[in-house]
Amino acid sequence: MCENCSQNALQPFAPSRRAVVTFAASALGLLLGRGIADAKEAKAPPKPENVLSPDASLKRLMEGNGRYVAGVSRRHDFKHEREALVGGQNPFAAVLSCADSRIAPEYAFDSGRGDLFVCRVAGNFANDETIASMEYTVAVLGTPLIVVLGHDRCGAVDATIKSLKDDKPLPGHIPSLVAAIAPAVKASAQQSGDALNNAIRQNVIDNVNKLKSATPILSAAVEQNKLKIVGAIYQLNTGRVDLLS
C-alpha cells in the first residue's frame, strides 16, 4: 500500500457538503411527512359512526332506549372499543342525569363505550361545573346533542319539596341540592296533579332552558343548529325514556 493510500485509510469519513444537505433535506421531508400523517390521523374521529346531526343523534339515542326496554340490548365489544378510544373520543350525545343508582344512561340508551358524555348529580341540575363540562363536549368533542334526563320518584326532588314545606334545612351539604331544585318546586306548586311528578318535570324543563341560554358556547351552538338540547323522563318500572315536548 502506498503512503498516500495508507494515510487516507486512517482518516475518518468526511461526507461532502452536498451529501449533508441532501441528507438533511430528506430527514426534514420525512419528519414533515410524518407530522402531516399524524395530523390527519388526529383529525379522524375514533368512532366515525358517531359523527351525526343533532336529529340523527336523538333518533339513535331513542332507538337504543327502545332496545333496552324490549330487553334486546346489543352485545358490545368493549375490548376493541377501549383500543379505538385510547387516542380520543367523539361521543354522539351528552346526558345530564340524576346520580340515582337506578339510572344508568349507558344502559338505558344501549350505548357503547365512547358514545355518551355523562354528567351526574342528584336532581340532574346544571351548575357551573356541569355547564362547563357540557361546553367542553360541545366545543371540543363536537357533541351535537344534550339530554337532561330526570326520572320518576326522584329522591332529591322529593327531599326538596319536604324541606321547603317543613321549612327545615337538611344536614351536611344537602341544602345545596335543595337550593338548586327549589325554583322548579316553587314554579310547579300551583300546577294540578301530582306535586312530585310536576316538580320533576319542571326541574328538567328549567335545566334545559338554562343550558340553552348558557352563553357564549352552548347558546351559540343552538342558534347555529349545531346543537340540540332536550329534556326527558326515565320511568323506573319500564326503563322507557319519555321526551318532553
Side-chain angles (χ1 to χ4, degrees):
M1 180 182 292
C2 68
E3 183 177 353
N4 289 338
C5 291
S6 176
Q7 290 178 351
N8 289 338
L10 295 175
Q11 291 177 354
F13 172 71
S16 67
R17 175 180 175 82
R18 181 177 181 181
V20 172
V21 172
T22 301
F23 175 79
S26 299
L28 180 60
L30 180 62
L31 290 174
L32 288 175
R34 183 178 299 171
I36 293 172
D38 290 343
K40 289 182 179 179
E41 184 177 352
K43 291 180 181 179
K47 301 190 78 170
E49 68 274 18
N50 284 1
V51 180
L52 300 168
S53 69
D55 288 335
S57 296
L58 183 58
K59 182 175 183 291
R60 177 177 168 186
L61 204 66
M62 297 309 295
E63 287 174 348
N65 180 244
R67 293 192 301 273
Y68 170 73
V69 172
V72 292
S73 295
R74 294 171 176 169
R75 181 178 179 179
H76 296 282
D77 185 355
F78 292 116
K79 180 180 185 299
H80 289 93
E81 284 183 340
R82 285 198 303 268
E83 295 171 354
L85 294 165
V86 169
Q89 59 174 318
N90 62 312
F92 75 90
V95 181
L96 169 54
S97 168
C98 184
D100 192 302
S101 63
R102 299 167 293 180
I103 314 300
E106 292 84 356
Y107 289 146
F109 295 111
D110 189 24
S111 59
R113 192 182 302 272
D115 288 340
L116 302 183
F117 186 93
V118 180
C119 294
R120 302 185 67 175
V121 62
N124 47 268
F125 60 85
N127 56 17
D128 288 345
E129 291 76 16
T130 304
I131 294 174
S133 297
M134 292 300 175
E135 288 176 335
Y136 170 78
T137 195
V138 170
V140 178
L141 305 181
T143 305
L145 173 69
I146 297 175
V147 178
V148 179
L149 183 64
H151 67 96
D152 60 343
R153 301 182 178 90
C154 181
V157 176
D158 190 39
T160 300
I161 293 174
K162 292 176 180 177
S163 178
L164 294 177
K165 181 179 178 180
D166 300 337
D167 193 21
K168 183 178 179 180
L170 297 175
H173 292 79
I174 299 177
S176 65
L177 302 179
V178 172
I181 301 170
V185 172
K186 295 176 181 177
S188 62
Q190 303 305 317
Q191 298 174 6
S192 60
D194 184 83
L196 178 56
N197 288 339
N198 291 341
I200 290 171
R201 180 185 177 90
Q202 188 64 50
N203 185 49
V204 170
I205 293 172
D206 287 355
N207 283 284
V208 166
N209 292 333
K210 186 172 185 179
L211 290 173
K212 283 183 177 179
S213 62
T215 57
I217 295 174
L218 299 185
S219 60
V222 171
E223 290 174 3
Q224 296 167 12
N225 296 318
K226 295 180 179 178
L227 173 67
K228 180 186 287 288
I229 305 177
V230 301
I233 303 292
Y234 177 92
Q235 306 297 331
L236 290 174
N237 61 329
T238 64
R240 188 182 73 247
V241 172
D242 295 323
L243 294 174
L244 301 183
S245 56

